[in-house]
Amino acid sequence: MRERITFFHPTDTGVLPENLKRDKGGLEAPVLETTREDRLTLGLDELPAEVASVLSGFSSLHVAWNSPVSYRTLEPFAARLSPGLHVLFQPTVAGMSDKSDLCSLLQVFSPRDCSVDKAISTTITGPGGSPQPKQFFQPLEELSHFAKWLSSEVCGAEDDACQSRAQRLLFAAGLDITYDAASKTAKVSAFWPLKQQSVSAPFSPHRRTEVGILTLGNPPNLAPDHVGVSGILTTLGDKKQPSPALFAFPARHKVSESHFSTTFLTPTGLHPTLQLSLDSNQPPKEDAECKPYAYLTLPKTIFADRFQLDGELFMASKNLTALRATSLPVDLEAPAYTTAAWGSSILLELAPPTSATNQPWTAEVPLHLRYLKPSASGLQSIEVPYPAVFWACSAEQGPEFSQNPFDRAHVGYDTLFESDTVFWHVEPRPEQGDRLVNTISVPVLNEHGATLIGVGTSVVVALGFGWVLWKLYSAIAQNGYQAPPKAAEEKKKR
Amino acid sequence: MIPSALFRPAPLFSIAAVLRFTLLVYGIWQDANSALKYTDIDYLVFTDASRLLAKGQSPYDRDTYRYTPLLAWLLLPTAGPSSSILFSFGKVVFALADLLAGWLLLRMLQARRGMTLERSGAFAALWLWNPMVATISTRGSSEGLLGVLTTGLLWAVEQRRTSLAGVILGLGVHFKIYPFIYAPAIIWWLDAEQTSGVVNRKKDSSIKDRLLNFITFARIELAITSLATFMLLNILMYSIYGHPFILHTFLHHVTRIDHRHNFSAYNTLLYLNSADPSASSWHAESLAFLPQLLLACLLIPLAIAKKDLATSMLAQTFAFVTFNKVCTSQYFLWYMVFLPLYLPSSSLLRNPRLGISALLLWIGTQGAWLQQGYQLEFLGNSTFFPGLWLSSLAFFATNCWILGIIISDGASDKTAPRTQ
């Protein structure tokens, strides 16, 4: 088991070496405005048997969670996802039912009755048509269930360090779990956003813990699309003094200087339009080919009609270029309550205004609501997570992103692009409050009418049917059913 | 008033053709210049399916293609880019089908009902000049094909071309299922009186004699030709497209929930019970086929078909659509095509107050529903209950009332009207 704890702070703050306290308990420094990432690398044999058995159902697995609460970040932790829990996976046996393994995995993150609430995945196909992993998404507000599970199932009752670590997950903004059957290792990373927080890393004799306190730096000969980093690195329990470090690595995810927010145009009706408002139409990089995209993760209550998102005029009128990818299956008619799949995701290329001067702009995504179950108020509120909005730029010299010690791959949209694509993320800003979700009030049947509708429909249909029967009866009683002789004769003549 | 010379065939059809041509060209212009498309979404489904077909794929690879592959075959010329002029080929076919249906109506009005050219032209204009009909077909909805199939069926029967009628019937059922309701009416109508002019109404004939009399050559001919056409088409399509053909053209209509709002009286109940199948003990909708099929396939043909086959077919279609579990405005075309044949002898025309009341109620209750539907669909107001529900029931009641009038008219002893 290996552990890596990394603090990234803005260049204008930092920790003076004399304030860094290292002792048997670990490492401590004063409160600092910084991000924090904890990464554990575990062998399959180091995992609890229960977890190992769930993982054995997957040949590869990527779980990524982002908090719906808006947060600030720094490079290299630039990647953004729609808030919620994303799972990308390949089952061990292709084509086998993946439901039970996926569902047992999901039970770790939220209460779920796998006998009724089956988790049905989808597959998104990119332009290349290369095989993609199965995908699943569910909204997840926080990691409390996961933390509880960790503390009771994984940490020993008296392992205080593990218990407090589980508790700290409640304040995390991101979580990544990566498992690869071939390497038999699982990596778990948790991320805490940029804010004032204490710098501390507890020492444990059971594992090797590396700590880095870093900031963006400028090493000489910094290659394009690389991130330079400077600061100090140390290994806990090591006698050596912390060593200064200056290094660089290629980065798949970068922070663009712009931001966006989304809102549903009102009235939303049954066919709401999601409006993306971006503050800039300028690509983040001058000398590369860059195009803006939105990757939408839509719960099953709402969907995009891939056949509608077509036609140059229509798309241009919404400031869209084209629908580049869509997950399947997506039923275009079914109500939410009979839809098995979790929902859908789409990748849209946006069409910014081409003016050379910077200008804010909007793009509109036409969506459709599914019918939801009746409710007592006649309305049902649904939440739609913010999309991930980014500029995808072609990189120079085909960088090896895997060299990046903080690389975040398999975030859903990255595999839909060429492998050397750099994603410049546009920062999501809440329209109101601090949550990165849009809410729609969906009109549904008022359940108070249930009895009346049942009885009333039957009575009216019965009366209508009775009336027609009566007219039929009186018609036959009066005139019989045979053709009048005259008419028959007339026909005979011809 | 419209000068009666306009109802002579040349101006009658010219105006109908110009109307459609104008709408077609306007539609092409709007599609090319506006983000809001004139072309119906269904047309994009057909043409997508034709495009798949041209690439050697199955039309059912296009989601929501729920039609016979014949339609995708017919529209193969549209498989090019949607900017090409050939893309409108299908709309031209549908519009021509409208005109052909109108021509058949004209022929039937003149032949059997013995009307003057102008008067029959005026009634045919109800279909030919109907803006709703022209719009629906030029937007690319295939209902116009149904219009020509059903009028063609009636025309063939009235012409005693029984084999042809059987082929059209088989084709119609393969195409859209519902024309099967005409089979019992035509069978009932094709009695010995009609086919050989033998009047045999002896009250004392035994059941055995009656049964034997029922089995006529024409009836067997119709049964065999229609069944053979229907089955041959199905076997052909099944052999090419396999299970998806059966699934999407036929089984889909058995399994669909129809939860989305539409004109049907059952609609709200279907939504309610599909959302929570265990909650309600009222599952009247599962018996919905009973009144619908009893009226459309048995009782109405029995009462009217021998007296007036066209009115029977109108009333059957009207009953089928009114009592159906799903009902959209395109279904109205199914019965509208028969109106020109029924109206000349109808009490709705003889008694203008009755006719205008029926028309206003039909439009008014539909308008009320549309207003509630607009509130729901575009403004997001929860109008499912009571607004949409009540207006769909009111529309249903209006339709039942009108159906009663049509039945009374069709069943009344009358010779073909000779009002000139």
Side-chain angles (χ1 to χ4, degrees):
Chain A
M1 188 188 293
R2 281 180 294 131
E3 185 180 32
R4 188 186 74 190
I5 300 173
T6 316
F7 299 91
F8 258 91
H9 56 81
T11 44
D12 54 357
T13 60
V15 181
L16 294 170
E18 57 266 34
N19 290 337
L20 205 60
K21 210 173 85 190
R22 289 171 80 242
D23 56 26
K24 283 212 170 124
L27 176 145
E28 285 211 40
V31 169
L32 176 70
E33 187 187 36
T34 179
T35 68
R36 172 177 176 146
E37 188 209 48
D38 287 14
R39 174 181 285 193
L40 278 172
T41 306
L42 302 119
L44 203 49
D45 50 352
E46 291 170 299
L47 291 167
E50 190 193 329
V51 181
S53 88
V54 171
L55 288 181
S56 69
F58 302 96
S59 68
S60 78
L61 173 70
H62 302 275
V63 179
W65 172 81
N66 261 34
S67 167
V69 178
S70 152
Y71 64 88
R72 293 187 302 144
T73 187
L74 287 177
E75 280 178 6
F77 302 105
R80 294 277 187 172
L81 282 85
S82 281
L85 185 72
H86 304 254
V87 185
L88 293 176
F89 64 98
Q90 307 254 357
T92 308
V93 186
M96 277 282 285
S97 157
D98 54 75
K99 296 170 201 165
S100 58
D101 287 320
L102 177 58
C103 199
S104 351
L105 172 79
L106 294 170
Q107 281 179 322
V108 168
F109 294 94
S110 63
R112 176 183 275 270
D113 181 355
C114 286
S115 60
V116 287
D117 194 3
K118 293 192 175 60
I120 306 294
S121 60
T122 59
T123 308
I124 191 162
T125 309
S130 54
Q132 298 283 343
K134 289 166 178 282
Q135 52 168 202
F136 182 87
F137 169 83
Q138 73 173 51
L140 186 66
E141 193 67 25
E142 51 178 24
L143 295 175
S144 57
H145 199 264
F146 180 58
K148 221 176 277 171
W149 175 83
L150 278 181
S151 107
S152 66
E153 304 289 329
V154 180
C155 302
E158 56 277 9
D159 187 346
D160 289 342
C162 186
Q163 293 289 356
S164 79
R165 192 179 289 277
Q167 282 313 303
R168 294 196 52 241
L169 280 177
L170 296 179
F171 310 102
L175 178 78
D176 285 271
I177 301 173
T178 303
Y179 166 73
D180 180 33
S183 67
K184 287 196 162 57
T185 53
K187 285 179 190 165
V188 183
S189 322
F191 174 75
W192 288 266
L194 182 62
K195 63 176 180 202
Q196 293 286 336
Q197 55 188 308
S198 66
V199 173
S200 71
F203 169 72
S204 161
H206 304 299
R207 56 181 170 262
R208 181 188 153 85
T209 303
E210 293 172 357
V211 180
I213 302 174
L214 305 169
T215 189
L216 291 184
N218 240 335
N221 305 323
L222 186 64
D225 300 313
H226 281 53
V227 170
V229 157
S230 71
I232 46 175
L233 296 175
T234 183
T235 305
L236 296 189
D238 213 347
K239 289 278 176 316
K240 277 192 288 180
Q241 280 302 304
S243 55
L246 185 62
F247 59 104
F249 45 80
R252 191 192 307 269
H253 301 284
K254 307 269 285 176
V255 173
S256 89
E257 293 302 310
S258 57
H259 58 84
F260 79 98
S261 64
T262 67
T263 183
F264 280 105
L265 298 180
T266 52
T268 45
L270 293 180
H271 310 280
T273 296
L274 183 70
Q275 185 179 58
L276 317 176
S277 308
L278 292 92
D279 74 325
S280 167
N281 65 333
Q282 299 301 314
K285 218 172 154 216
E286 295 274 304
D287 49 351
E289 200 192 326
C290 294
K291 286 173 183 157
Y293 292 86
Y295 182 74
L296 277 72
T297 304
L298 302 168
K300 67 166 73 165
T301 48
I302 191 166
F303 66 97
D305 179 351
R306 61 187 179 282
F307 298 106
Q308 182 194 15
L309 294 170
D310 192 21
E312 232 168 277
L313 271 174
F314 178 77
M315 294 297 272
S317 73
K318 311 278 178 205
N319 277 350
L320 304 174
T321 304
L323 178 66
R324 293 300 181 201
T326 175
S327 68
L328 289 173
V330 183
D331 192 302
L332 303 177
E333 297 161 320
Y337 46 83
T338 65
T339 302
W342 63 269
S344 57
S345 47
I346 58 167
L347 177 69
L348 276 167
E349 186 183 330
L350 312 179
T354 49
S355 63
T357 52
N358 187 31
Q359 69 174 93
W361 60 291
T362 63
E364 282 84 39
V365 186
L367 299 170
H368 307 274
L369 290 172
R370 291 189 194 282
Y371 276 50
L372 309 179
K373 289 199 167 199
S375 79
S377 65
L379 293 169
Q380 182 77 54
S381 181
I382 63 161
E383 286 193 337
V384 181
Y386 261 48
V389 175
F390 49 81
W391 292 79
C393 304
S394 54
E396 294 161 47
Q397 306 166 344
E400 280 295 322
F401 291 127
S402 54
Q403 292 171 3
N404 178 346
F406 308 102
D407 187 29
R408 198 176 182 191
H410 302 285
V411 285
Y413 47 83
D414 52 341
T415 48
L416 302 174
F417 292 84
E418 296 290 324
S419 60
D420 61 354
T421 306
V422 178
F423 303 95
W424 293 78
H425 291 272
V426 183
E427 186 196 337
R429 294 219 176 139
E431 184 71 9
Q432 51 189 348
D434 62 352
R435 295 182 69 238
L436 298 172
V437 292
N438 293 113
T439 309
I440 306 184
S441 188
V442 182
V444 297
L445 180 60
N446 191 319
E447 64 190 12
H448 293 312
T451 318
L452 193 55
I453 290 165
V455 179
T457 306
S458 309
V459 168
V460 171
V461 170
L463 285 175
F465 182 51
W467 167 255
V468 179
L469 284 182
W470 166 248
K471 297 299 275 186
L472 276 166
Y473 170 77
S474 37
I476 294 181
Q478 211 173 357
N479 302 313
Y481 58 81
Q482 294 287 2
K486 230 173 161 184
E489 260 166 54
E490 194 174 289
K491 270 171 199 135
K492 206 165 104 184
K493 274 186 252 162
R494 272 183 285 127
Chain B
M1 285 303 284
I2 307 166
S4 64
L6 284 181
F7 295 124
R8 301 188 67 82
L12 176 70
F13 284 96
S14 304
I15 291 171
V18 166
L19 172 67
R20 282 163 180 77
F21 183 75
T22 312
L23 285 171
L24 195 71
V25 171
Y26 168 76
I28 293 173
W29 178 84
Q30 183 177 323
D31 282 358
N33 291 286
S34 166
L36 191 73
K37 301 296 177 208
Y38 178 80
T39 300
D40 193 88
I41 295 172
D42 286 348
Y43 191 69
L44 302 178
V45 177
F46 308 154
T47 51
D48 280 353
S50 297
R51 216 164 286 140
L52 289 172
L53 208 61
K55 281 192 267 178
Q57 286 174 267
S58 161
Y60 299 105
D61 290 347
R62 170 60 162 90
D63 277 24
T64 70
Y65 185 80
R66 307 262 158 71
Y67 314 87
T68 163
L70 282 180
L71 189 59
W73 290 7
L74 180 68
L75 267 54
L76 260 181
T78 65
S82 57
S83 54
S84 137
I85 189 80
L86 273 179
F87 181 71
S88 300
F89 173 80
K91 300 178 183 179
V92 175
V93 171
F94 300 152
L96 287 176
D98 279 357
L99 298 187
L100 182 57
W103 181 77
L104 290 167
L105 289 173
L106 194 66
R107 290 293 302 267
M108 287 190 279
L109 282 165
Q110 285 173 272
R112 198 162 67 83
R113 289 151 191 85
M115 282 186 200
T116 63
L117 213 53
E118 284 83 3
R119 189 169 158 80
S120 51
F123 281 107
L126 282 176
W127 172 262
L128 284 167
W129 294 357
N130 191 320
M132 181 176 165
V133 176
T135 311
I136 285 181
S137 54
T138 52
R139 288 187 67 208
S141 170
S142 63
E143 308 302 332
L145 289 181
L146 265 307
V148 79
L149 282 175
T150 52
T151 46
L153 175 64
L154 180 60
W155 175 81
V157 173
E158 290 195 351
Q159 292 284 313
R160 310 294 190 283
R161 301 189 185 188
T162 314
S163 302
L164 178 63
V167 170
I168 298 176
L169 180 61
L171 177 64
V173 178
H174 170 79
F175 216 96
K176 203 83 181 186
I177 307 177
Y178 87 89
F180 78 89
I181 60 173
Y182 305 131
I186 297 168
I187 294 279
W188 188 232
W189 184 85
L190 279 176
D191 53 18
E193 286 179 32
Q194 293 292 355
T195 46
S196 56
V198 183
V199 179
N200 182 7
R201 290 189 186 175
K202 275 180 277 175
K203 295 270 178 210
D204 51 353
S205 53
S206 69
I207 292 176
K208 191 181 145 208
D209 285 346
R210 286 194 188 188
L211 273 177
L212 279 177
N213 281 338
F214 185 81
I215 301 168
T216 64
F217 176 74
R219 282 171 170 159
I220 293 171
E221 195 184 2
L222 182 87
I224 289 177
T225 48
S226 59
L227 209 62
T229 309
F230 178 64
M231 285 320 292
L232 277 176
L233 283 170
N234 289 346
I235 290 166
L236 175 69
M237 296 309 168
Y238 184 75
S239 68
I240 304 177
Y241 302 106
H243 185 63
F245 158 67
I246 302 286
L247 185 70
H248 293 291
T249 33
F250 298 125
L251 296 183
H252 164 72
H253 298 283
V254 181
T255 54
R256 56 192 289 179
I257 338 177
D258 292 319
H259 61 286
R260 297 202 282 191
H261 63 287
N262 62 71
F263 288 114
S264 171
Y266 295 106
N267 172 251
T268 318
L269 191 59
L270 285 172
Y271 171 23
L272 183 69
N273 289 347
S274 73
D276 200 350
S278 60
S280 168
S281 54
W282 286 90
H283 283 272
E285 80 282 2
S286 56
L287 296 174
F289 68 95
L290 269 179
Q292 183 188 27
L293 295 188
L294 263 177
L295 289 178
C297 299
L298 189 67
L299 300 176
I300 293 173
L302 194 69
I304 313 181
K306 288 198 183 210
K307 293 167 181 277
D308 184 345
L309 185 56
T311 302
S312 170
M313 286 168 75
L314 167 68
Q316 289 172 267
T317 322
F318 207 94
F320 188 88
V321 172
T322 300
F323 284 85
N324 202 20
K325 288 206 284 188
V326 59
C327 177
T328 67
S329 53
Q330 292 184 358
Y331 292 18
F332 302 156
L333 250 61
W334 297 357
Y335 56 75
M336 270 187 182
V337 72
F338 293 116
L339 279 181
L341 300 174
Y342 156 70
L343 282 178
S345 61
S346 154
S347 55
L348 294 174
L349 277 197
R350 272 203 312 276
N351 179 354
R353 268 174 78 181
L354 186 68
I356 289 169
S357 310
L359 185 65
L360 288 182
L361 267 176
W362 190 78
I363 292 174
T365 49
Q366 208 181 125
W369 186 95
L370 287 170
Q371 193 271 341
Q372 293 294 306
Y374 172 81
Q375 292 263 325
L376 169 71
E377 185 123 26
F378 294 98
L379 305 184
N381 297 337
S382 179
T383 56
F384 288 109
F385 179 84
L388 265 178
W389 179 65
L390 284 179
S391 51
S392 73
L393 290 184
F395 185 56
F396 171 82
T398 302
N399 280 324
C400 286
W401 177 63
I402 297 175
L403 182 58
I405 296 173
I406 299 172
I407 287 172
S408 302
D409 285 348
S412 68
D413 270 329
K414 56 172 190 280
T415 50
R418 292 213 170 266
T419 37
Q420 301 290 323

